[in-house]
Amino acid sequence: GLCWLENLRDFQIVNGGQTTASIYHAVKKEKADVSHVSVQVKLTVVKESAKLVEFVPLISRFANSQNSIKGADFSANDEWHQKFESLSRTIWAPAASGTSKPTRWYYERARGSHLDDKIRAGTPTKQKEWETQNPVAQKFTKTDVAKYEHTWNQLPHVVGKGAEKNFIEWTMIRIKAPARLPEQADFEELCAKALLFRTAEKLIGKLELGGYRANVVAYSLAWLARHTNGRIDLKKIWQRQAVGEALQLAIQTVAPAAYKHLLDYAAGRNVTEVAKK
């Protein structure tokens, strides 16, 4: 017989984001009457709450046939990522030189959430203010985290395998390690690694070495991390919200050598493929 739904707890839309967004747009933007619209819904009730984090990504993986879902998306409800996201919403970065206001480093746990949160801020003025506090230049994703961490941990060959494969390997290493959720210090260090990586991208781009920038960045920073025995002062980078001149010069000095090494080692083979090994 028929069952009446009395209440929902911890309600999530697993597949149906586009439908929901379309209805929302029709009501809010177009002022359309949707009272006559019906939407077919498949309701999945997870009775064992402990399995929720494990189960929800599987629904998305096996039920979604319209859009390609990337492997990194399946860990969106991982407790580590949830904690990291909450840290990013509460921690203010020190005001960078030349600015008067602190900002946030926005961790985009779910794809598109940065834009969604900006729209939710309200009026155009409030949206502009929100984006000033959460600049796009300081947004980073799960695959970015894996890239920065593996570069710092001197695994540039894994970074060279691409965002998805690198993320999967980083996730496997993290899962096998003793369970520990990130704290404020971890978040600030990761943001410093992001600043270091992004600064290196700009500096190495200006050198016009002739290609393979992504590989040169990863190998250069991995080499520096190893030969400084990890003593690069991440705390100072976080506090300054900038990479110091001496470290910038070091990056510019190491990069041409990294580029030459990759080319010499490839010896005519595909450099991008060689860099993965």
Side-chain angles (χ1 to χ4, degrees):
L2 290 173
C3 293
W4 295 101
L5 186 64
E6 294 182 358
N7 64 73
L8 290 169
R9 186 168 62 86
D10 196 17
F11 182 51
Q12 297 181 49
I13 299 173
V14 180
N15 290 343
Q18 290 177 339
T19 305
T20 308
S22 297
I23 295 171
Y24 178 86
H25 181 84
V27 173
K28 291 290 185 179
K29 303 292 183 181
E30 307 297 333
K31 308 299 180 186
D33 176 15
V34 296
S35 60
H36 61 288
V37 174
S38 297
V39 179
Q40 187 178 22
V41 172
K42 179 173 71 175
L43 184 67
T44 305
V45 180
V46 182
K47 294 183 178 179
E48 295 182 53
S49 58
K51 292 187 175 181
L52 189 66
V53 171
E54 172 190 351
F55 196 73
V56 170
L58 295 177
I59 297 174
S60 193
R61 179 181 298 208
F62 296 115
N64 196 309
S65 60
Q66 287 180 296
N67 303 306
S68 62
I69 303 295
K70 294 183 178 180
D73 294 329
F74 297 136
S75 66
N77 289 320
D78 183 314
E79 192 176 5
W80 190 97
H81 292 284
Q82 289 184 358
K83 178 65 183 299
F84 207 71
E85 180 188 56
S86 69
L87 289 169
S88 84
R89 303 299 190 268
T90 56
I91 296 172
W92 289 94
S97 176
T99 65
S100 59
K101 294 183 179 180
T103 57
R104 286 195 178 104
W105 281 79
Y106 185 100
Y107 179 53
E108 192 173 63
R109 179 171 67 93
R111 279 191 295 173
S113 64
H114 186 272
L115 180 59
D116 290 342
D117 285 349
K118 175 186 170 182
I119 292 170
R120 274 196 284 266
T123 64
T125 301
K126 288 183 178 179
Q127 286 184 23
K128 189 174 182 180
E129 181 184 358
W130 186 91
E131 192 165 16
T132 300
Q133 295 173 347
N134 301 271
V136 174
Q138 289 176 199
K139 179 188 81 171
F140 60 103
T141 66
K142 293 187 291 296
T143 54
D144 288 332
V145 169
K147 179 171 62 178
Y148 304 146
E149 291 286 37
H150 269 176
T151 298
W152 181 257
N153 291 331
Q154 301 146 46
L155 298 168
H157 56 292
V158 181
V159 176
K161 292 179 180 180
E164 287 298 309
K165 289 182 179 178
N166 180 62
F167 176 81
I168 290 167
E169 291 209 24
W170 173 76
T171 300
M172 296 307 297
I173 291 171
R174 182 175 60 80
I175 289 172
K176 290 175 184 176
R180 188 179 79 84
L181 293 177
E183 300 295 341
Q184 179 164 344
D186 301 307
F187 181 82
E188 292 178 0
E189 277 198 359
L190 191 282
C191 292
K193 292 170 189 174
L195 263 167
L196 183 60
F197 197 98
R198 294 176 179 188
T199 299
E201 286 181 317
K202 292 176 183 175
L203 293 171
I204 292 170
K206 290 178 182 177
L207 292 176
E208 298 182 351
L209 294 173
Y212 314 112
R213 186 183 74 162
N215 300 118
V216 174
V217 169
Y219 273 85
S220 297
L221 292 181
W223 190 93
L224 280 167
R226 170 165 292 190
H227 286 270
T228 58
N229 198 25
R231 292 194 306 272
I232 292 172
D233 196 339
L234 295 173
K235 190 172 183 180
K236 185 179 288 185
I237 292 174
W238 166 258
Q239 290 170 344
R240 291 180 176 178
Q241 288 295 293
V243 176
E245 289 184 11
L247 185 49
Q248 288 191 37
L249 180 61
I251 293 168
Q252 290 170 305
T253 304
V254 170
Y259 176 74
K260 184 177 184 301
H261 173 75
L262 286 168
L263 259 63
D264 290 349
Y265 192 78
R269 291 172 292 167
N270 184 302
V271 174
T272 305
E273 289 301 312
V274 167
K276 296 176 184 179
K277 301 172 183 177

